[in-house]
Amino acid sequence: MRFTDADAALLKSLGARLRPVFPEIVTEFYDRIVEHSHARAVLTDGHVQIDRLRVSLRGWLESLFGGAYDEPYYNSRAAIGRMHVRVRLPQHFMVTAMNVIRMRMLDHVESLPSSERRDARRAIEKILDIDLSIMLDTYREHVLDQLREAERERFEQRLIESKHLATIGQLAASLAHEIKNPLAGISGALQVIREGMEPEHAYHEVLAEALRQIDRLDEAVKDLLVFARPKPPTRERQSISALLQRSMLLIREETSVRGLKLQIEEAAQDVWAEVDEGQMQQVLANVLINALHACGPDGEIVCRLSENGDTIRLEVEDNGCGMNREVSERAFEPFFTTKARGTGLGLAICRRIVEAHDGRIWIEPRSPRGTRVVIELARTQ
Ligand code: ADP
Ligand code: MG
């Protein structure tokens, strides 16, 4: 459906005959637009006046029939499109309004001698299709610009974060090293003392508690080290369901003590991926322990494994406290925690590991309550 010189000539002669109905069309066009409250707000909030727009629509109709259909024509159309975008006129209002023009034009074609109608209809359809596609293009351009801008901002944000983290990381790593060795020494000494005591001794239980606290401190220091000094993964082909089963063992005892339900829904067939076993187990442990922390007495944790073509999807769902908006936006941030005894490093480590495996990890809210953590990894055969 090429737009030809014959179409251009036809439009010119049609223009001469349709010109008397332009004012009517202009009025109807804006009446229709301001039926929408949003468009009304956009067009009457001071910076764009409807009267001015009426004049420009009139000009637009003139040139629709007057040509010349060349580059300046295209540019002037695109400029109008960009103006719509600038005032944030929703795209479907623009499309509806363009349709009003189309319908009215075609109505008027019916009043022409029947021998002329078919060609006239076709020429009008063609030029309006061209105009519509120019308008849609400006919207598309705008969306792409926005995406690019968002991408750039994200990139800069990451850069700032990574510089920031490199500093924190160095500090954390040296601190963790300083703490780790004396901690091992203290723990060893306390164990020796405790073993030398009668179990009835008044301090026997005190020492047991001290040792538990040291274990916790040791876990936190380990997290800090993993976070500050990430190791590149050593990837080997692993059965992901076996890995998941092993990770679930870690929390099985606590779930049974607390009477929580723990379920697994497996893929129809075993799925394999090239992963660092230790690192991936740490990811699953972090996510499962978070689910455990979130659950109340009627808690339920479901681990689901599925595959879709080349992708493995691992989900850990809980029906626990869920996250509000701020928490879900910040959950992967290092050192962000809502727990009195949290390090805030669990999910940050998860993300780092999963991304080092070229995978993705994200959080979805569940209704009526709870959280779903989703991990996607590339599958191998
Ligand atoms: P930590 O567990 O030490 O607080 P994480 O990085 O593992 O650190 O988690 C960060 C925060 O994200 C938690 O403090 C918690 O508020 C929230 N969170 C993580 N997992 C869940 C979950 N399954 N349900 C509700 N909140 C969660
Ligand atoms: Mg955690």
Side-chain angles (χ1 to χ4, degrees), residues 286-287 290-291 293-294 318 321-323 327 331 333 336-339 341-348 363 371 373:
N286 290 357
V287 171
N290 279 347
H293 286 158
D318 64 64
C321 60
M323 299 187 196
V327 174
E333 230 173 72
F336 174 82
T337 180
T338 57
K339 300 171 191 170
R341 295 178 160 188
T343 63
L345 287 174
L347 287 176
I363 287 166
T371 305
V373 179

Side-chain angles (χ1 to χ4, degrees), residues 12-171:
K12 268 195 189 138
S13 78
L14 276 172
R17 281 180 285 171
L18 293 178
R19 189 155 296 118
V21 300
F22 286 176
E24 238 172 79
I25 292 178
V26 169
T27 306
E28 183 182 358
F29 180 86
Y30 279 104
D31 286 352
R32 289 294 285 275
I33 283 220
V34 296
E35 270 169 21
H36 298 277
S37 60
H38 177 89
R40 200 163 44 240
V42 165
L43 297 176
T44 52
D45 74 347
H47 62 125
V48 185
Q49 288 302 322
I50 298 247
D51 283 342
R52 231 173 60 216
L53 287 172
R54 287 209 174 95
V55 173
S56 71
L57 178 60
R58 181 71 197 264
W60 185 84
L61 287 172
E62 290 287 347
S63 63
L64 192 67
F65 288 95
Y69 306 100
D70 51 8
E71 202 171 323
Y73 179 88
Y74 174 89
N75 290 337
S76 70
R77 273 15 200 185
I80 297 173
R82 279 193 289 273
M83 194 268 289
H84 288 159
V85 172
R86 212 166 39 243
V87 301
R88 295 180 198 284
L89 185 71
Q91 181 174 302
H92 60 277
F93 292 177
M94 184 274 292
V95 174
T96 313
M98 292 277 287
N99 227 17
V100 170
I101 293 181
R102 186 181 299 248
M103 292 305 146
R104 285 304 149 261
M105 293 288 173
L106 294 178
D107 285 351
H108 289 291
V109 166
E110 293 307 310
S111 63
L112 298 177
S114 62
S115 60
E116 292 177 29
R117 281 182 212 152
R118 209 177 117 240
D119 287 346
R121 221 179 279 132
R122 187 182 297 158
I124 288 177
E125 295 267 20
K126 275 190 201 172
I127 192 67
L128 285 173
D129 283 349
I130 290 173
D131 270 66
L132 184 60
S133 63
I134 297 173
M135 298 291 164
L136 290 176
D137 234 28
T138 57
Y139 277 90
R140 199 161 39 231
E141 231 172 61
H142 174 71
V143 170
L144 284 177
D145 280 353
Q146 277 185 328
L147 283 177
R148 270 186 225 114
E149 179 65 10
E151 181 59 33
R152 199 180 54 78
E153 270 171 21
R154 239 197 1 248
F155 178 76
E156 275 175 8
Q157 186 58 33
R158 287 240 164 158
L159 205 65
I160 294 171
E161 257 167 39
S162 67
K163 278 188 191 147
H164 188 60
L165 289 182
T167 323
I168 298 179
Q170 275 164 7
L171 201 70

Side-chain angles (χ1 to χ4, degrees), residues 221-284:
V221 168
K222 264 197 222 140
D223 271 2
L224 207 54
L225 273 175
V226 170
F227 178 74
R229 294 271 160 87
K231 288 205 191 81
T234 311
R235 297 169 75 161
E236 278 169 9
R237 189 166 175 273
Q238 299 282 344
S239 153
I240 299 302
S241 47
L243 199 91
L244 179 61
Q245 303 261 12
R246 284 200 296 279
S247 309
M248 286 168 73
L249 287 178
L250 285 174
I251 62 162
R252 178 137 284 154
E253 192 183 323
E254 185 164 348
T255 49
S256 71
V257 170
R258 284 174 55 194
L260 309 179
K261 276 198 209 140
L262 177 62
Q263 287 181 45
I264 179 164
E265 291 175 15
E266 294 218 54
Q269 49 182 339
D270 202 359
V271 287
W272 298 78
E274 299 268 333
V275 297
D276 183 311
E277 185 188 357
Q279 291 189 2
M280 209 40 83
Q281 214 153 22
Q282 182 170 18
V283 169
L284 292 171

